[in-house]
Amino acid sequence: MLNSLQSFTSKLTRHPGNLKLGQVNTFLNRCGVSHEDLDKLSVIHVAGTKGKGSTCVFCEQLLLYKGYRIGLFTSPHLISVKERFRINGKVISDDKFVFYFWSVYNTLLSKRNDGEELPAYFMFLTVMAYKMFINEKVDVAIIETGIGGEYDSTNILRKTSVIGISSLGFDHTTVLGNTLQEIAWQKSGIMKPNSVTIVANNQPKETHQILIERSIEKQTTLLEAPPFNKYNWYENTSELGVLSTPQEINASLAIQLANAWINRNNKYDWLKECKIGLSGMKQAPIWEINKQDKQALRDVKWFGRNQVLNITPNLSFFLDGAHTIESIQLCSKWYQNVCSKSQLNIKNILIFNVTALRDYSTFLKILLSENKIDVVLLCPIVTLINNHRPDTVDMNFNYEEQLVKCYNMKNSIDICDVEVFNSIQETVEHVKNCSSSEKNINFQVLVTGSLKLVGGVLEVLQS
């Protein structure tokens, strides 16, 4: 039933405007959530192109370790829609999801006007999230935007003390615009008066002036997070394990967001120490990092992003849901750094696909030119052929269309072997069978191009 609310790709147009936010407010009011209720909910709101979900999870863990009750709303999910909602670091239970789903669904259905549609998929889940976190009396809700910021369904808050903007880049250009300046304008739309807005360091130079202008327009204090290595780390950072450069950027932003929220009531004391840097933005404080903070960062688990799974002694999966040009480039570098450098008895396999109308040819060019891939395995983003579980179905593209796209991709690849399979399960089983029959070969399997694809592979591996 929830999946029937999916928005079709063809319906996503640029700048839907404030009408959409008016709809969110209407649906929230019908569910008993007023503007005043939202004003009382303490929120850390995060937008961005890359790393906003990771930033939210790092921030969640830092605050959990300090004893706060945290609500977390992120997207998309990998296996189950429940993953989008966490309370105190744990995915909500089946019972809690069912309770809030039917509470919102039945209320909106009973109060629907003639000819009026129910909210679209993400808008519905946003209404659920706000109602849930208010009812569950969290100390702070960490809210990740869906697409954009200015007109995103989550952006119905009038008061937000702390705003985060992760790394910016190109994605959802049909909705957000074709330039980095347009995208930065949209993402910075979540800025609020009297808030502190912190942006990740190393933002594209084209976005700096837009971010500064928008901060003035929105009456927020704009800060730039410092590089990860600038903090006064307790002992050293080696205990954190291997953090990729993007994750270091995300972790630094999360440290800033968590500390800004904790110190929100005395912000003028620490803001006056912030000096303008080379970017033209004020530089955020170098907060002290203690042993507890390091433990929190080390304990972060964010599946499907720079994740390595060693299945058998000769079979390892490297999973990263990269789905933009910039994130594919970072994924390629990550894979080069973490996989075995030896060329002896190694077989490198790429399991790949993309959702919607993403530029698969550019993605493949990056991955195949920078890595020694022996074979590419393509399949529709369908976990099982006979699987009819609703939240795994992509209603934008039917199965036949996805299969045609796989063969089109196959025909575009001429530098290595390519095979097409009918489902994610069939693809993973093929790899497992190969590794079982050739135990003298070490199979390294990179899975990327889509978080839905990564989620399907994780589901098969866990079953």
Side-chain angles (χ1 to χ4, degrees):
M1 189 170 292
L2 173 63
N3 207 53
S4 66
L5 305 175
Q6 276 199 55
S7 300
F8 288 90
T9 300
S10 59
K11 292 183 180 179
L12 292 177
T13 56
R14 185 176 296 189
H15 310 328
N18 290 320
L19 175 63
K20 179 179 178 181
L21 299 182
Q23 290 175 329
V24 181
N25 278 318
T26 298
F27 294 133
L28 280 166
N29 287 332
R30 290 176 184 175
C31 291
V33 178
S34 66
H35 279 303
E36 290 70 29
D37 294 326
L38 289 171
D39 289 345
K40 294 174 186 175
L41 180 66
S42 190
V43 172
I44 297 173
H45 203 183
V46 183
T49 307
K50 307 183 294 291
K52 61 184 186 292
S54 298
T55 297
C56 289
V57 175
F58 279 125
C59 187
E60 172 201 50
Q61 289 298 309
L62 287 163
L63 292 172
L64 278 174
Y65 268 74
K66 296 183 186 298
Y68 296 103
R69 180 172 171 80
I70 313 298
L72 176 67
F73 178 58
T74 59
S75 60
H77 59 270
L78 290 174
I79 298 174
S80 167
V81 68
K82 289 190 309 167
E83 299 165 24
R84 298 178 184 230
F85 307 88
R86 300 205 323 200
I87 295 178
N88 271 1
K90 296 181 179 178
V91 174
I92 62 170
S93 66
D94 289 349
D95 288 345
K96 196 178 291 289
F97 180 86
V98 168
F99 172 79
Y100 282 105
F101 171 82
W102 285 114
S103 172
V104 170
Y105 186 87
N106 287 333
T107 298
L108 295 181
L109 194 65
S110 66
K111 296 182 179 182
R112 182 171 58 170
N113 296 323
D114 289 342
E116 186 180 42
E117 294 183 353
L118 289 172
Y121 189 91
F122 184 76
M123 189 184 294
F124 184 96
L125 296 178
T126 299
V127 172
M128 266 185 68
Y130 282 126
K131 183 172 179 63
M132 181 187 303
F133 295 150
I134 289 170
N135 285 8
E136 298 292 328
K137 295 180 170 56
V138 299
D139 293 319
V140 59
I142 303 172
I143 305 290
E144 177 191 3
T145 59
I147 296 176
E150 179 76 33
Y151 305 118
D152 188 75
S153 294
T154 63
N155 197 30
I156 38 77
L157 303 161
R158 297 187 299 189
K159 297 180 179 180
T160 312
S161 58
V162 180
I163 310 290
I165 299 179
S166 68
S167 300
L168 296 171
F170 290 101
D171 196 19
H172 301 294
T173 53
T174 56
V175 179
L176 304 180
N178 295 310
T179 68
L180 288 171
Q181 289 91 336
E182 288 178 291
I183 291 169
W185 189 94
Q186 289 284 344
K187 302 287 186 180
S188 57
I190 64 171
M191 295 175 176
K192 295 293 183 296
N194 303 313
S195 66
V196 175
T197 297
I198 307 166
V199 302
N201 69 80
N202 207 25
Q203 295 285 10
K205 290 183 180 179
E206 300 95 316
T207 67
H208 291 178
Q209 191 58 36
I210 295 294
L211 292 170
I212 293 169
E213 290 173 0
R214 288 285 268 168
S215 71
I216 296 169
E217 172 196 343
K218 298 282 188 176
Q219 302 174 48
T220 182
T221 300
L222 181 66
L223 303 176
E224 182 180 32
F228 187 73
N229 61 6
K230 293 294 184 181
Y231 293 95
N232 302 313
W233 288 99
Y234 175 86
E235 294 177 359
N236 58 65
T237 60
S238 61
E239 296 174 15
L240 296 177
V242 179
L243 281 181
S244 64
T245 300
Q247 291 294 48
E248 288 185 350
I249 292 173
N250 301 333
S252 176
L253 178 56
I255 290 167
Q256 291 297 323
L257 297 176
N259 280 282
W261 182 80
I262 292 169
N263 295 281
R264 65 196 181 280
N265 293 326
N266 65 324
K267 65 180 180 180
Y268 296 110
D269 293 337
W270 51 270
L271 282 175
K272 65 185 179 184
E273 305 298 327
C274 300
K275 308 299 182 185
I276 294 178
L278 296 176
S279 66
M281 293 178 269
K282 286 186 176 181
Q283 301 302 287
I286 307 295
W287 298 100
E288 182 179 346
I289 304 297
N290 59 32
K291 195 170 184 178
Q292 183 186 60
D293 296 326
K294 286 181 65 176
Q295 182 70 40
L297 293 174
R298 182 168 62 244
D299 288 350
V300 166
K301 292 181 175 61
W302 195 224
F303 300 123
R305 289 85 168 174
N306 294 170
Q307 182 182 5
V308 180
L309 289 177
N310 297 311
I311 307 302
T312 66
N314 74 322
L315 176 59
S316 297
F317 282 80
F318 300 79
L319 303 120
D320 189 77
H323 53 276
T324 69
I325 291 175
E326 292 94 340
S327 60
I328 285 289
Q329 290 170 332
L330 294 169
C331 169
S332 178
K333 291 176 182 175
W334 166 73
Y335 183 65
Q336 292 170 47
N337 290 333
V338 296
C339 68
S340 173
K341 304 298 187 294
S342 171
Q343 298 300 317
L344 296 174
N345 299 325
I346 298 287
K347 189 163 189 176
N348 290 290
I349 297 174
L350 172 63
I351 297 179
F352 180 83
N353 202 342
V354 297
T355 55
L357 302 173
R358 298 187 189 278
D359 183 8
Y360 65 77
S361 58
T362 300
F363 289 9
L364 285 169
K365 183 178 180 180
I366 293 168
L367 294 167
L368 298 179
S369 64
E370 296 182 359
N371 300 278
K372 186 184 180 301
I373 301 296
D374 298 296
V375 60
V376 177
L377 306 182
L378 306 168
C379 66
I381 303 179
V382 173
T383 306
L384 305 169
I385 289 294
N386 296 318
N387 178 23
H388 298 295
R389 199 182 80 203
D391 65 341
T392 65
V393 176
D394 185 349
M395 298 183 71
N396 288 296
F397 296 94
N398 63 40
Y399 178 80
E400 288 73 21
E401 289 173 324
Q402 289 198 56
L403 201 59
V404 168
K405 184 173 69 174
C406 287
Y407 280 102
N408 289 337
M409 282 190 282
K410 178 182 179 179
N411 293 334
S412 72
I413 301 170
D414 58 8
I415 64 173
C416 65
D417 292 334
V418 185
E419 295 183 56
V420 175
F421 293 88
N422 293 314
S423 69
I424 294 171
Q425 182 192 46
E426 190 178 302
T427 309
V428 173
E429 290 304 320
H430 170 76
V431 173
K432 283 184 172 181
N433 291 336
C434 290
S435 66
S436 296
S437 61
E438 300 180 72
K439 294 190 180 295
N440 61 321
I441 302 292
N442 289 316
F443 288 80
Q444 298 179 157
V445 186
L446 173 61
V447 184
T448 192
S450 159
L451 275 166
K452 283 191 173 184
L453 174 66
V454 167
V457 170
L458 280 171
E459 183 177 7
V460 172
L461 292 175
Q462 291 173 11
S463 63

